[in-house]
Amino acid sequence: MTQWAERTDRGRERGPVAVGRAWLDVLTRPQRFFARKIAPGDQAPGLTFAAIVVFVAEAVRIATVADGYPVVADQPAASAALWLLAIVVLVVPAGIHLTAALQTVVLVAVTDDRAGVSETVQVICYSLAPLVALGVPNAFVQALVVCWSGSLLIVGTAVVHKLPVPKAIAAVSLPGVLLLGYGFGGNAAVWTVAIQLVEGVETILG
C-alpha cells in the first residue's frame, strides 16, 4: 500500500516542487489532475502528499489552539513533536487505507468497471488538499475546507472510476462522512456554522 512507482507519463513527479504543483493543480484543475496524474500502483506520492497536508494543518492547530495536544511529563515541545509524528506516521496512513477499503467495497456494489485500490487511495489522498487550512480556529474556515475536500473526493471518484456524478456521490457518501465528517471534525464545524447562521437570521428578523 506504500508503493512508489517509477516515473510514468501519468504518475506524479517527485520532490517538494512537485508536491506544491500537485496541491495547486488539484485545487484549481481537479478534473484535469485526476484524469492525468493518477497512475496504478503510484501510492507513495499520494500518501506523502496527504501526510504533508495533515502535518501543516495540525501544526497550525497546535500553534493557535490552547491545549491542542496532550502534554506528557511537562514537556510541551517534545509532546508536540511526538503528537505530530504519531498523526503523520500512524493515523493518516491508517485512516486513508481504512477509508479506501470501505470505498472499494462500496464501489464494488456501484459498478463493475472501476479502477483499482491504489487509484482509490490516491484519490482520497489528493482530495485532502484543502485541509491545509483545517487547523485555523474558525468554524467557517473549517466547514469550507472540509466541504471543498468532499467535493474533490466526488470529482476524483467520478473521473478515476469513470462514474456519473450521482453514482460518485453515492459511492463516496459513507466513506467521506466517516473520514471528513468524523475523522477531520467536519460534522462539528458544519453544525457550528449552521447554528451561527440560524442565530444570525433570528437576530436580523428580531
Side-chain angles (χ1 to χ4, degrees), residues 67-123:
D67 301 324
Y69 62 97
V71 176
V72 179
D74 294 326
Q75 298 290 329
S79 297
L82 287 173
W83 178 259
L84 285 171
L85 183 64
I87 293 293
V88 170
V89 175
L90 299 177
V91 177
V92 171
I96 288 173
H97 288 145
L98 287 172
T99 303
L102 176 59
Q103 182 73 80
T104 300
V105 171
V106 177
L107 284 167
V108 168
V110 170
T111 179
D112 294 327
D113 184 17
R114 59 190 178 278
V117 176
S118 66
E119 289 95 319
T120 299
V121 171
Q122 293 171 70
V123 169

